[in-house]
Amino acid sequence: MFSNKLVVIVLFAVMLGACVPKAPQVPTGIGQSAEDQLFIQGEKALQQQEFDQALSIYSHYISQYPQGTHADLALNRIGFIYKSQGVYDASQAFYERLIREFPESRFRDEARLGIVDLYILGERPADAIDLAQQMLSMDLNPDIRRQLWERLTRQYEVSGSLASSVAYGYMLYQSASQQDKPFWTERLKQSIDQLNAQDIEMLWDQLDDKQIRSYMMYRYAVLQVVAENYDDALELFSAFQTTYPDHPNVVEAVQLVDMLYQRLSCRPSTIGCLLPLSGAYRLYGRRALSGI
């Protein structure tokens, strides 16, 4: 039986494998020099998924033109190919070389993201989270930022930090296109259904969206029932019905309200008794207390 952690890692590996570009775009503005033509050969091999040949060509390009016009992209391509082939140490070495030798390269953030993925594939979630969070403090293009949010959502979910996973999932939800919105809505709903009351209290002010808050409010009310805080649960469910009359959970909320009214209307009474625990009748009183 696979553990949940292993399943997520396997699925992530499959996802990365699917990211191999089927038709990478050859950079525009490439001339007819020997350097340019050598690099184009590598791009064409990669486009045709001839990865060993592409790796050989890019490596030859780097040896011939270590500071060439396309050297940073060639290093990025090599790191990507090694990652796709499962040679993680070599992949990281080339990504780090790109970052070190070309600190102003427009591909440096892709290289850092590649290292985040290597940490994930190598089952180093803490390192992946640390690097991803460091990157989020940088000036990033929106696509890289979204990919980091996605990685953090997954890694916090794997590590059991559901509140943090929901927080990053919410960022993806907010920035999603209309086409992707339903997917991230459902993902958030599933995660919220696993939150505890403390998580919801912490996230409430951060997730300022009516739809997402409706799921949080319903979950919080259910948790009050579980905790036998029936008065609080009844108040929350009543407010939920009023605030979200068309919500898909309204039917369940109405049923729970009826159940709570029945339970609250027949609360058991507390019965006390007065027993002599001292004096002449203390023996009888203590026997009665033991019996009770």
Side-chain angles (χ1 to χ4, degrees):
M1 179 69 68
F2 287 112
S3 67
N4 289 338
K5 178 180 178 181
L6 181 58
V7 169
V8 172
I9 290 170
V10 171
L11 290 175
F12 187 75
V14 172
M15 180 191 73
L16 288 180
C19 290
V20 176
K22 294 181 180 179
Q25 297 296 316
V26 177
T28 58
I30 294 182
Q32 298 298 317
S33 67
E35 174 191 345
D36 291 336
Q37 291 306 305
L38 179 59
F39 182 78
I40 287 176
Q41 289 178 33
E43 293 290 277
K44 289 180 178 179
L46 181 61
Q47 186 179 38
Q48 295 168 8
Q49 299 191 27
E50 297 173 353
F51 301 121
D52 290 337
Q53 182 181 355
L55 185 61
S56 176
I57 295 171
Y58 289 131
S59 298
H60 182 57
Y61 176 92
I62 292 297
S63 67
Q64 292 294 310
Y65 309 101
Q67 295 295 318
T69 305
H70 316 293
D72 55 346
L73 180 54
L75 290 169
N76 192 45
R77 296 290 202 227
I78 293 172
F80 175 74
I81 292 171
Y82 274 132
K83 180 179 67 176
S84 302
Q85 294 178 335
V87 189
Y88 299 152
D89 289 343
S91 176
Q92 183 167 345
F94 278 96
Y95 281 141
E96 290 176 343
R97 180 177 171 184
L98 187 163
I99 296 167
R100 181 176 63 255
E101 296 183 7
F102 300 93
E104 302 303 319
S105 169
R106 62 192 179 97
F107 303 108
R108 68 187 186 280
D109 292 333
E110 289 184 22
R112 291 190 181 103
L113 181 63
I115 295 174
V116 170
D117 289 341
L118 290 172
Y119 286 151
I120 293 171
L121 291 168
E123 298 187 48
R124 298 167 59 184
D127 291 331
I129 289 170
D130 286 344
L131 180 55
Q133 289 181 332
Q134 288 176 32
M135 288 183 66
L136 287 175
S137 65
M138 303 173 184
D139 183 20
L140 303 170
N141 72 56
D143 180 61
I144 293 289
R145 189 170 295 276
R146 279 186 56 82
Q147 291 189 63
L148 288 169
W149 290 342
E150 184 171 349
R151 268 63 166 183
L152 286 166
T153 299
R154 293 174 182 270
Q155 289 309 293
Y156 276 122
E157 183 178 12
V158 170
S159 64
S161 302
L162 286 177
S164 297
S165 177
V166 168
Y168 284 108
Y170 179 69
M171 295 178 188
L172 288 162
Y173 162 83
Q174 281 191 308
S175 60
S177 65
Q178 288 301 117
Q179 181 179 356
D180 294 336
K181 205 82 166 182
F183 171 81
W184 287 109
T185 302
E186 183 60 26
R187 277 290 304 272
L188 271 177
K189 181 180 179 299
Q190 292 175 5
S191 297
I192 288 169
D193 285 343
Q194 301 177 59
L195 293 176
N196 60 39
Q198 185 177 1
D199 290 336
I200 293 173
E201 290 169 2
M202 180 178 67
L203 288 168
W204 183 261
D205 290 335
Q206 298 179 41
L207 278 56
D208 187 14
D209 178 271
K210 184 175 180 179
Q211 182 178 19
I212 301 305
R213 278 188 169 181
S214 70
Y215 296 121
M216 294 174 67
M217 187 176 186
Y218 180 79
R219 170 64 175 170
Y220 194 74
V222 169
L223 290 170
Q224 298 310 305
V225 175
V226 174
E228 299 184 0
N229 299 325
Y230 299 135
D231 289 324
D232 291 341
L234 183 59
E235 183 177 349
L236 283 164
F237 278 127
S238 299
F240 175 80
Q241 294 176 68
T242 302
T243 308
Y244 308 106
D246 300 322
H247 197 276
N249 292 120
V250 162
V251 174
E252 290 89 342
V254 170
Q255 293 172 347
L256 287 167
V257 166
D258 290 341
M259 181 199 75
L260 289 170
Y261 272 126
Q262 293 175 18
R263 182 161 295 186
L264 291 172
S265 65
C266 59
R267 282 178 168 172
S269 300
T270 300
I271 300 175
C273 63
L274 188 62
L275 296 172
L277 300 180
S278 62
Y281 299 101
R282 64 181 181 277
L283 180 61
Y284 304 104
R286 288 175 180 172
R287 285 179 179 174
L289 181 59
S290 297
I292 294 172

